[in-house]
Amino acid sequence: MAVANSSQYLEAYADRFADLSEKSDSWLKQQRTEALAQFSATGFPKARDEEWRYTQLSALDKTLFLPAQQSASIAVDVEWLKNYQLADAWSIVLVDGFFSAELSVLDGLPAGFVVSSLTQALAEPASAALLTDKLNQAVNFDENGFVAFNSAYFADGVWVYIPAKQVLAKPIQIVHVATQSAVAINTRTVIVVSEQSEVQLIETFVGLEGAYVSVAVAEVFVGQNADVTLYKVQVESEKALHFGGTYVKQARDARFRHDNFALGGLLARSDVHTDLDQASECELNGLYLGVKRQHIDNHTCINHLKPHGISRELYKGVLDDKARGVFQGRVVVAEDAQKTDSQMNNRNLLLSNDAEADTKPQLEIYADDVKCGHGVTVGQLDEKSIFYLQSRCVDEETARNMLTFAFANEMVDKVKIKSLHDVILGQVLMRFPQEGIYKEWL
Amino acid sequence: MLSIKNLHVSVGDKPILKGINLEIKPGEIHAIMGPNGSGKSTLSHILSGKSGYTVTDGSATYQGKDLLDMAPEIRAREGVFLAFQYPVEIPGVSNVYLLKAALNSIRKHHGQSEVDAMDFLTLVKGKVRLLDMDEKFLYRAVNEGFSGGEKKRNEILQMAILEPKLCILDETDSGLDIDALKIVSEGVNSLRSPDRSFVMVTHYQRLLDYIKPDFVHVLAHGQIVKSGGPELALELEEKGYSWLEDAEASA
Ligand SMILES: Nc1ncnc2c1ncn2[C@@H]1O[C@H](COP(=O)(O)OP(=O)(O)OP(=O)(O)O)[C@@H](O)[C@H]1O
Ligand SMILES: [Mg+2]
């Protein structure tokens, strides 16, 4: 088996880089070059890095994942895609990281709103001008090796621009479809929601059977007093690796909510970082389900930079078989961020003796007048509850399924878009024994 | 209906029930009273199949079958119902969901088809009214965030819907105010029938003013130390338990 390291990636991606560089404006070329320098210096993250100590990255060394080529994509079955693509949303579809006009549904998007391919946006002076201020501004390439890799080599992605004082009637969905194997799919998404607008967005990651790696970086700018809900539905293929980072900048009074459903992939890591300005609020929700040998890693960082910010976080994990779940949640309250109100919770349910949950909440508080709390639990199903259900005629196995499902369903129930709720519910039910779960009664 | 013979039960090495004998015929109401820690809940639990107890001797026969040999859910489907002293909160499972799952399990057990959705709602709503509850309770998670009294009422609601044969009420009256006690008692009385029996564990004679028992037993230190009619409860109310415990000690 080939052993790959970052220098082999550099070599394998040299043509891709030359090609991208040539197509980029000088400012972007400059950014790509800096990112490349960063990646060649550090490579992918190492286990000795505290933020990566739970994440097993040896798969990237065992296989050299080549850059996905648009021409190698398999035609996507539209009927199959309907399982994930919402009929009542505007949607933009990327296949193996490249914009697909045929599969995207963007008709009727109101004037002034932009949902487009990032490459196309960069080629167009008006949007390129907006992007120079945004690209690589919510995250820097020195964040980690994947961000550097992504910044150097992203071939396409999504650009979303919402003008000020708008409420969008339908959500916007970004669907990432992977059809190839042994490739890296590198996408960059930039979302700008201008002041006082309200929007709901969905990022869906889905794949065919392949063993590919998704490296997806999203930058989200939530304008002053704007309100953004971003759902992430990660249902990658069973063999896939997923490294997804969502980096958010919230302006004053901005509200941001992220609901993170980490269900697929063999190894899936998600990073959600948000910076809060004065009186901004964020709510981070997460549900990770691990079965078989899945490893699902969740990292969040909430940065309270200014006073009166509010953050609420709840991540729940259900781990069966030999699966492993990780939650590393940081809340940083800067010296300036007085009157911060922050609560972080992580709850894990272990269904087998071989399953594992690692949870590491971190509070770093530099202000003195704040209200910050956190709580974590790792446990099994409650025997008292099982007996109670049995005494109400429910057999033990069904009782266990009901309680497991109820634990996870708390997060599913938070999803306010009906069609999306149903997609997620279906995905959750599919991953666990359903005997005794009557979907139609829920 | 239920015949308990010389029942000995331990938790770990600690004997808790030390030779219980009790005969309950169809239609009878038996009240069990006794000091804290005497084993009343243990008896309720062992009859409904909670794990963690060891039967070291004796038997319990329910409708001719060895009760102690059945899984808890089979007992429940065969008509044994325990109203818990401390009902458990089940976040994420709604009352109506659990009721439907329970009712259908019973029907399946008896070879009947699933309950019709409309019939079910009619049945449930009728019982909700009987217990003077708000219909909203049906759609809330089982016992989650309920007050003590609401939890007890919810237990009786379940009982009224599942129509068990042997109803074991473990301190259902504790913590109820007089109005709630009346409502719960009415609920219980409406279920009285010649082929349904009740075991009511209580600390308070007051309950027995509303639900008149056929027999009153005193459980102390894991044994039934005295049995009698309703007048025994009045005597206990007046004198407490010590005279019985003393009598037992000197015997
Ligand atoms: N799981 C257990 N482990 C150890 N001891 C137990 C356990 N369950 C019950 N006991 C003990 O058994 C005895 C009887 O308890 P039980 O709950 O049956 O009493 P009770 O009569 O219902 O009391 P109360 O009136 O307070 O409800 C007590 O001494 C109690 O501490
Ligand atoms: Mg008790």
Side-chain angles (χ1 to χ4, degrees), chain A residues 24-55:
Chain A
S24 300
D25 283 351
S26 61
W27 64 274
L28 181 57
K29 190 187 277 186
Q30 172 76 16
Q31 286 189 357
R32 288 192 190 271
T33 307
E34 283 171 29
L36 182 69
Q38 178 76 31
F39 179 67
S40 45
T42 62
F44 292 115
K46 308 284 183 295
R48 62 171 180 268
D49 179 347
E50 184 57 25
E51 287 290 319
W52 292 82
R53 58 182 276 224
Y54 298 110
T55 318

Side-chain angles (χ1 to χ4, degrees), chain A residues 117-389:
Chain A
S117 140
L118 183 65
T119 310
Q120 287 178 9
L122 286 164
E124 207 188 286
S127 43
L130 288 168
L131 273 158
T132 49
D133 270 356
K134 301 298 179 197
L135 195 64
N136 289 314
Q137 300 305 304
V139 65
N140 203 320
F141 354 104
D142 61 10
E143 176 67 31
N144 64 53
F146 287 104
V147 175
F149 181 76
N150 182 276
S151 302
Y153 301 122
F154 73 81
D156 201 355
V158 174
W159 163 238
V160 176
Y161 178 81
I162 311 293
K165 298 182 191 167
Q166 301 294 326
V167 179
L168 206 51
K170 293 195 287 184
I172 297 169
Q173 185 183 22
I174 301 166
V175 188
H176 299 256
V177 186
T179 73
Q180 302 180 36
S181 207
V183 296
I185 300 167
N186 235 321
T187 57
R188 175 62 65 105
T189 295
V190 182
I191 298 167
V192 174
V193 179
S194 308
E195 57 170 301
Q196 298 182 60
S197 284
E198 270 178 49
V199 61
Q200 294 183 300
L201 300 129
I202 302 144
E203 270 196 295
T204 300
F205 293 86
V206 59
L208 303 181
E209 319 278 76
Y212 55 88
V213 51
S214 283
V215 181
V217 174
E219 297 182 83
V220 185
F221 299 85
V222 188
Q224 189 168 337
N225 203 30
D227 193 316
V228 173
T229 301
L230 175 59
Y231 296 95
K232 176 172 173 180
V233 184
Q234 186 275 98
V235 287
E236 303 271 25
S237 106
E238 265 184 46
K239 296 182 207 142
L241 312 180
H242 175 94
F243 301 95
T246 304
Y247 300 89
V248 187
K249 285 231 179 290
Q250 297 182 239
R252 200 186 158 112
D253 301 318
R255 295 170 300 284
F256 175 71
R257 170 174 157 187
H258 192 253
D259 282 24
N260 191 356
F261 293 90
L263 311 179
L266 182 61
L267 165 63
R269 159 136 180 164
S270 113
D271 285 83
V272 182
H273 293 208
T274 180
D275 289 350
L276 282 80
D277 200 320
Q278 179 146 348
S280 32
E281 294 178 22
C282 81
E283 179 181 337
L284 305 186
N285 298 310
L287 175 66
Y288 45 104
L289 303 183
V291 296
K292 299 180 190 165
R293 290 178 166 278
Q294 273 182 292
H295 178 122
I296 306 200
D297 223 324
N298 304 282
H299 293 248
T300 62
C301 181
I302 299 172
N303 262 315
H304 285 275
L305 298 169
K306 293 284 166 58
H308 296 288
I310 299 176
S311 58
R312 291 287 176 269
E313 177 164 20
L314 174 60
Y315 266 67
K316 287 180 112 176
V318 183
L319 302 156
D320 201 355
D321 306 324
K322 291 177 186 293
R324 186 172 183 197
V326 178
F327 173 79
Q328 260 185 300
R330 272 176 81 200
V331 173
V332 184
V333 181
E335 203 178 333
D336 221 15
Q338 300 294 1
K339 304 284 179 192
T340 290
D341 174 356
S342 165
Q343 184 66 45
M344 166 168 51
N345 285 294
N346 174 229
R347 311 249 170 263
N348 294 281
L349 178 58
L350 300 181
L351 298 179
S352 97
N353 289 333
D354 295 325
E356 186 180 328
D358 299 293
T359 172
K360 195 174 160 207
Q362 291 163 271
L363 296 181
E364 291 167 37
I365 302 174
Y366 303 101
D368 48 25
D369 184 13
V370 300
K371 196 166 84 188
C372 294
H374 71 281
V376 301
T377 55
V378 178
Q380 285 152 358
L381 288 172
D382 175 35
E383 293 299 325
K384 280 201 187 86
S385 305
I386 293 170
F387 174 63
Y388 187 82
L389 293 176

